[in-house]
Each structure stands twice: as structure tokens, then as C-alpha cells.
């Protein structure tokens, strides 16, 4: 049995006719850049996020970068974010000229630990950028309270958090602005790159619209120095077809996660912990095991595709030596970077496929060459 890490082909077959019709409609109208479908998707996605505005851009990276630029964050400023996120989060900060300041992770949720946040704040801090990692919202109440106490902005990195709820509120509506990615493998994915900025601030929404389109408010009327970060009309058309299915697909992911939880319960692995008041959407299903690399190799031989998100923390990347961090500065992030393993996860994943994955894990645990006692029984 071969179990892919994600299966975009199966999802496409369920919406094939609608997607094809939407793309053909764009081709026939030939409004390929900032066309009608972009406007309509922005309205629908803002409404979905319970926010006033959404601005379509060409990637999740661009969404976060343009938020920072819209708030005029740049050289001399600091933005705090999670040490265990994808490097793009930090790049959006450093490429504005600001400095990323990292905070270690909470070992239960794998999100930024609010208890370690205030120690990272300096007079240069302008904003906090929590990441809704793996599809579980960060502890936004605690983060926002700290931010307000220090007069800081809060920007959600919701590249993995499409449709998740935090205490009854959608991600995208929890801070001053939020950046979403529509990379194909996301819970809401385009058929190429795409992203969106979501905010309730009309001034910021207007500024992001200009920044994404060469600084223009109208053609040849350049109000500010901008960039070329527009969302393609074809991608917006695809996203409009997919958006009404998102909650159903997220429910499928939660069903698959619950099945994993049930079958893994008696094995020496740590399954995802879900915080109280949170509706996890399982962009990734991440377990923790001590002999991660050995298990990963065993699953590969069994036909099970897996991933590591993320094997090298930002502060240990060569690109970020200039931040001055060293090994040992973020011990939880460093420990888990060696122990986390992402199992196959998508809405259409069958219970039979999940059982096959867990049987393969069980077979590895039962091998005489493997020390089950070496695997964690509880989170450190």
C-alpha cells in the first residue's frame, strides 16, 4: 500500500467540473490580472474570516511582508516570532530591514510560548507575529494582552490556520492583521502560489492594495513605492470554488486526526495535544518520537510518505547566523526538531490508510533492534 503525504488529485476529482468551468470562464473573459474573480474572492474570504477586508496577493510570504511594510516596519525595528516556524516567517521580517527576535515554543501546542514572550521585548520591538503552527491557533489572548500592555502590534501568520477557531473566533480576525498562504498543499490551496492579507483596518487594507500593485491606486497613479505581488485571477477563481468546501474538508482532517489519536494511543509516541477552546484544523498531523529518523526510513520502505516540519530551527540556519543566537538558546525547539514527524494528512485519507500507517509504526516499535523505552512517554 502506498500512502502519499498529501493527495491533491483526489480532492481535484471531487470538484473537477466546477474548477474547470471557473478557469475557462477566466480564459474567456481574459481578465487575468486583478480581474473580477479576485474582487469576489476577497469579499468572500474576508466574510469567511469574520473580518472587514481581504486583499489577494501572490503568496503567503508576500502577505506577511506587505503587512509589515503597510505598518512601516523596517530598519531599526524588531518583530518577535516563533523559533520553530518555517523560515519564510523570519524572511518576511528581515527582508523589510527589521530584525526577527525568536521565542521558544510551548511543548504542548508547539506554538510560541507566551510565558517567554515578555523577556524578548526591547525598546525596538514593534510587533509580535505568532504562528498558528500545524493548524492550531496560538494562544492569542495571552499574546494580545502582552502586546497591548507594551503598545505592540499583533500579526497572525495563518499560513497553516485556514478555518481554525480560537475561542469562537476565526483565525484572521484575532490580531491587527493576518497573512494567509494558498500554496497548493494548504487546507485552502490554489493551483499555484497565492496568499491574502486579512484585516479590519481600512487604511491598512488600502495600503496593501497599493503595495501589491506597484504603488498604484489607479492605473499610472503611483501614490507610494510598491511591488508586484498581485493574486492571479485564475488562482482566485480556483479559490472561490474551493472556499465553500473548506469547513467540510477541515472536518475530514479532524476525523482523520481522531482516528490517528485512537490507534496511536497505546504506542510510545506523542500525538498532537489540542489546547482548550481551540478548533485545530490539522494542516499537519505531527507526532513526536525519539528515533524519528529510523521510523521515517521504516515508513518510507513500507510505502508511507512522511515529512519533517521543521528539521533545522531558524536560529541554526546559516542564513540567520547574523542574529547572534547559538545552539542551546531555544532548547524545546531544538529537542523537538529531532523528534517531530508529520504523518500523511488530508481530508480524504481513509481509515484503512490510517490503520496501515499505524500498523507500520507498530511493526517498527516491535522490532527487536528498537528500544521502545527510548521513546518519550510524556512531554518534557
Amino acid at each position: 500500500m502506498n500512502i502519499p503525504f498529501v493527495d491533491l488529485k483526489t480532492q481535484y476529482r471531487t470538484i473537477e467540473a466546477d474548477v474547470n468551468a471557473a478557469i475557462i470562464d477566466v480564459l474567456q473573459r481574459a481578465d487575468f490580472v486583478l480581474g473580477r474573480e479576485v474582487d469576489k474572492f476577497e469579499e468572500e474570504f474576508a466574510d469567511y474570516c469574520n473580518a472587514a477586508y481581504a486583499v489577494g496577493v501572490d503568496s503567503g510570504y508576500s502577505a506577511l511582508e506587505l503587512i509589515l511594510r503597510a505598518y512601516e516596519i523596517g530598519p531599526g525595528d524588531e518583530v518577535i516570532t516563533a523559533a520553530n516556524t518555517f523560515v519564510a516567517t523570519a524572511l518576511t521580517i528581515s527582508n523589510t530591514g527589521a530584525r526577527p527576535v525568536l521565542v521558544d515554543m510551548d511543548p504542548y501546542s508547539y506554538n510560541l510560548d507566551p510565558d517567554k514572550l515578555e523577556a524578548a521585548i526591547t525598546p525596538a520591538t514593534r510587533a509580535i507575529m505568532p504562528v498558528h503552527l500545524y493548524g492550531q491557533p496560538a494562544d492569542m489572548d495571552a499574546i494580545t494582552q502582552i502586546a497591548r500592555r507594551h503598545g505592540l502590534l499583533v500579526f497572525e501568520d495563518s499560513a497553516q490556520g485556514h478555518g481554525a477557531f480560537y475561542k469562537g473566533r476565526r483565525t484572521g480576525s484575532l490580531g491587527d492583521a493576518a497573512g494567509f498562504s494558498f500554496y497548493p498543499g494548504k487546507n485552502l490551496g490554489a493551483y499555484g502560489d497565492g496568499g491574502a492579507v486579512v484585516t479590519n483596518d481600512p487604511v491598512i487594507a488600502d495600503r496593501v492594495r497599493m503595495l501589491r500593485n506597484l504603488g498604484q491606486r489607479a492605473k499610472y497613479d503611483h501614490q507610494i513605492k510598491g511591488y508586484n505581488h498581485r493574486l492571479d485571477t485564475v488562482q482566485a477563481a480556483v479559490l472561490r470554488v474551493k472556499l465553500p468546501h473548506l469547513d467540510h474538508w477541515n472536518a475530514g482532517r479532524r476525523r482523520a486526526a481522531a482516528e490517528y489519536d485512537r490507534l496511536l494511543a497505546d504506542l510510545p509516541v506523542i500525538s498532537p495535544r489540542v489546547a482548550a477552546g481551540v478548533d485545530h484544523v490539522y494542516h499537519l498531523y505531527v507526532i513526536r518520537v525519539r528515533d524519528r529518523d529510523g521510523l521515517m526510513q521504516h515508513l518510507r520502505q513500507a510505502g508511507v510518505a512522511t515529512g519533517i516540519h521543521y528539521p533545522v530551527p531558524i536560529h541554526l540556519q546559516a542564513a540567520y547566523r547574523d542574529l547572534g543566537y547559538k545552539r542551546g538558546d531555544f532548547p524545546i525547539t531544538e529537542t523537538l526538531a529531532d523528534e517531530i514527524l508529520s504523518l500523511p494528512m488530508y481530508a480524504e485519507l481513509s481509515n484503512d490508510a490510517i490503520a496501515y500507517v499505524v500498523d507500520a509504526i507498530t511493526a517498527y516499535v516491535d522490532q527487536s533492534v528498537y528500544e521502545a523505552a527510548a521513546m518519550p512517554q510524556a512531554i518534557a
Side-chain angles (χ1 to χ4, degrees), residues 82-85 87 90 102-104 312-335 337:
N84 61 313
T85 185
V87 71
L102 305 179
V103 170
D104 209 354
V312 182
I314 291 170
H315 69 290
L316 300 181
Q317 297 280 355
Y320 278 107
R321 287 177 185 150
D322 61 318
L323 293 182
Y325 295 117
K326 63 184 183 303
R327 185 174 292 278
D329 284 345
F330 305 106
I332 298 174
T333 293
E334 291 172 22
T335 296

Side-chain angles (χ1 to χ4, degrees), residues 194-250:
V197 172
V198 174
T199 183
N200 287 315
D201 189 326
V203 174
I204 294 303
D206 182 60
R207 190 168 179 83
V208 171
R209 287 191 195 97
M210 289 190 289
L211 285 168
R212 74 171 176 187
N213 191 27
L214 308 171
Q216 300 178 108
R217 180 169 281 121
K219 193 170 184 179
Y220 303 133
D221 177 15
H222 300 269
Q223 298 287 316
I224 56 178
K225 296 181 179 71
Y227 307 86
N228 187 355
H229 290 315
R230 301 172 297 219
L231 177 65
D232 289 342
T233 307
V234 168
Q235 301 302 341
V238 171
L239 291 166
R240 285 195 70 209
V241 171
K242 285 188 163 192
L243 183 57
H245 298 274
L246 179 55
D247 286 343
H248 173 70
W249 289 335
N250 283 343

